[in-house]
Amino acid sequence: MAGNRAVVYKGAGRVAVESIAYPDLVLHDGPGVNPLNVGRKCEHGVILKVVSTNICGSDQHMVRGRTTAPEGLVLGHEITGEVIEVGRDVEFIKQGDLVSVPFNIACGRCRSCKEGDTHICLNVNPDRPGSAYGYVDMGGWVGGQSEYVMVPYADFQLLKFPDKDQALEKILDLTMLSDIFPTGYHGAVSAGVTTGSTVYVAGAGPVGLAAAHSAQLLGASVVIVGDLNPVRLEQARSFGCETVNLSEHDDLGEMIEQILGVPEVDCAIDCVGFEAHGHGKQHTEAPATVLNSIMEITRAGGRLGIPGLYVTGDPGAKDEDAKVGSLRIRIGLGWAKAHHFVTGQTPVMHYHRQLMNAILSGRAQIAKAVNATVVDLSDAPVGYSDFDKGVARKFVLDPHGLVRKAHPGSVYVKS
């Protein structure tokens, strides 16, 4: 039987690549696995040889020690792979298929799934609606930053690429379909972006860059990206965004007015989440900053897309309220301006097929927008460390060397 290496959380600030069990079609006990999920049989699932798996900002929250994630948790919810084994109940997905895996695990059978709300499936997480691979309090499904991984409910969830050779040519774009591209796109759609919209995106990390590119695809006339990191802002400018450096000025409305002539936008997207900082030269962590600032600069009647992650347990928060997800949000301002808010996980399956088609046609250039950069699975700790330092890259882990073979010019040169 083949071995299986994986990226494992080792405590605040630390990950390691370790040998773990080769997967089978059962959810076994382990770090973070809900006791009610132990022994769960998954003959509706498949085993994947992981072709690519990405480091996500949501993973970084755990690795920084800002969640209740247990040591030993196998990380990774952005997965693209080749099917090498199918369960007896799988009818349509076949061995050899190259597929994208939505990060939210969904059964396809509950009320939420039948209504298209695959991000809040009722049957995969005993604690609450919704689940994901390799993530804290999400049921304990083993993460995919590994060589091999088990994926349940294969016929319902998996997006099969129509041509394997073409898919490998486009793999740096297609690997973003498991999370980041649909998440950014969902943020833009939720914010009501359409032809001619003016859009503000808070955060120039990979999700923010994906949201900015998505806003362009949806027809925005101007996309403004705000961040504290000048390197990431430079990446946003590389594909046509306007930018504001929030470390140099604390009046966001004034900076927007310098670009648009008015201190407001039609639509705003929060791609930062609960580790947000305030604005200005002396900025410190202030988790409600982004939510309050986008209410201030979004026009009356506008919409706010909030794909940025907010949690119910943050042991590293500055105050007791924030430790349980309670923030000082100016809800009265949002009410007075009749804002529309959309929060929560992204229902990936609602978007991934059409975004795949946009990639395959050449319309979407998501790998370029987020600066997709390939590293070997063994170098995952370097990727986590450099990502945490604020590099303007989206790290793509390559467990079997297939991505590097197809795209040798995208390999990361370690500093």
Side-chain angles (χ1 to χ4, degrees):
M1 179 174 290
N4 191 19
R5 295 179 304 144
V7 181
V8 177
Y9 173 60
K10 302 297 288 183
R14 295 184 295 123
V15 299
V17 178
E18 299 181 348
S19 294
I20 65 168
Y22 186 85
D24 58 11
L25 297 174
V26 177
L27 181 54
H28 297 284
D29 197 7
V33 179
N34 190 295
L36 297 177
N37 265 349
V38 173
R40 188 165 179 164
K41 293 180 172 58
C42 298
E43 291 293 343
H44 42 64
V46 299
I47 306 300
L48 296 184
K49 177 181 179 180
V50 177
V51 172
S52 62
T53 175
N54 315 324
I55 296 175
C56 180
S58 299
D59 299 320
Q60 285 285 17
H61 291 306
M62 290 189 290
V63 173
R64 292 187 190 115
R66 295 299 298 267
T67 71
T68 56
E71 293 186 23
L73 185 73
V74 178
L75 301 171
H77 56 270
E78 301 189 15
I79 308 165
T80 304
E82 180 184 5
V83 177
I84 58 174
E85 180 184 336
V86 298
R88 67 166 183 251
D89 297 333
V90 177
E91 183 176 1
F92 303 111
I93 293 294
K94 304 299 183 185
Q95 187 174 357
D97 287 346
L98 189 59
V99 297
S100 177
V101 183
F103 80 88
N104 8 61
I105 303 168
C107 70
R109 304 164 185 177
C110 68
R111 175 178 177 176
S112 290
C113 288
K114 288 178 179 179
E115 294 181 358
D117 294 326
T118 55
H119 56 313
I120 46 173
C121 175
L122 303 176
N123 286 333
V124 290
N125 183 359
D127 285 335
R128 64 169 78 105
S131 189
Y133 302 90
Y135 211 83
V136 58
D137 296 332
M138 288 291 185
W141 300 89
V142 179
Q145 286 176 10
S146 56
E147 294 177 307
Y148 302 93
V149 67
M150 187 268 282
V151 173
Y153 305 106
D155 278 333
F156 177 64
Q157 295 190 99
L158 296 183
L159 176 67
K160 176 185 173 181
F161 300 139
D163 183 281
K164 288 179 71 173
D165 291 336
Q166 181 192 31
L168 285 172
E169 290 176 5
K170 295 274 191 177
I171 193 65
L172 288 178
D173 294 283
L174 294 172
T175 190
M176 307 304 167
L177 290 174
S178 57
D179 179 358
I180 182 178
F181 197 7
T183 292
Y185 194 83
H186 177 62
V189 169
S190 300
V193 178
T194 187
T195 305
S197 297
T198 57
V199 184
Y200 175 69
V201 178
V207 171
L209 297 172
H213 183 48
S214 298
Q216 293 172 332
L217 290 173
L218 289 165
S221 60
V222 181
V223 180
I224 304 169
V225 180
D227 202 286
L228 301 161
N229 183 331
V231 176
R232 288 182 168 180
L233 291 174
E234 182 179 355
Q235 178 63 24
R237 289 192 294 273
S238 75
F239 60 96
C241 298
E242 300 284 345
T243 61
V244 292
N245 189 333
L246 299 168
S247 69
E248 296 178 349
H249 204 307
D250 61 3
D251 192 330
L252 177 57
E254 182 177 303
M255 289 186 282
I256 288 174
E257 185 172 19
Q258 291 174 1
I259 298 170
L260 298 178
V262 292
E264 65 179 18
V265 293
D266 298 319
C267 317
I269 310 169
D270 171 9
C271 297
V272 178
F274 73 101
E275 286 193 67
H277 277 232
H279 302 162
K281 295 183 183 299
Q282 305 301 319
H283 64 83
T284 59
E285 186 169 315
T289 296
V290 171
L291 292 172
N292 288 331
S293 65
I294 63 176
M295 284 190 282
E296 290 172 359
I297 55 92
T298 302
R299 67 172 178 85
R303 299 166 65 98
L304 311 178
I306 310 173
L309 175 66
Y310 289 88
V311 295
T312 57
D314 175 10
K318 294 183 66 175
D319 58 64
E320 293 303 312
D321 286 339
K323 287 181 179 180
V324 294
S326 294
L327 309 181
R328 295 174 61 89
I329 297 169
R330 296 183 63 194
I331 192 67
L333 175 61
W335 188 94
K337 297 178 78 170
H339 283 157
H340 182 103
F341 300 76
V342 177
T343 68
Q345 284 189 44
T346 296
V348 169
M349 293 179 66
H350 191 70
Y351 305 106
H352 65 175
R353 185 172 299 277
Q354 57 263 49
L355 293 178
M356 175 187 72
N357 290 335
I359 288 169
L360 295 178
S361 70
R363 177 83 174 102
Q365 304 285 333
I366 186 63
K368 178 182 177 182
V370 302
N371 195 15
T373 305
V374 184
V375 295
D376 185 79
L377 184 69
S378 298
D379 291 327
V382 175
Y384 270 95
S385 176
D386 287 359
F387 186 33
D388 196 47
K389 294 173 185 175
V391 297
R393 298 178 183 274
K394 174 68 171 177
F395 285 110
V396 178
L397 303 180
D398 183 18
H400 297 280
L402 298 172
V403 183
R404 281 165 289 172
K405 182 177 179 181
H407 300 274
S410 297
V411 176
Y412 189 45
V413 178
K414 299 188 289 292
S415 56

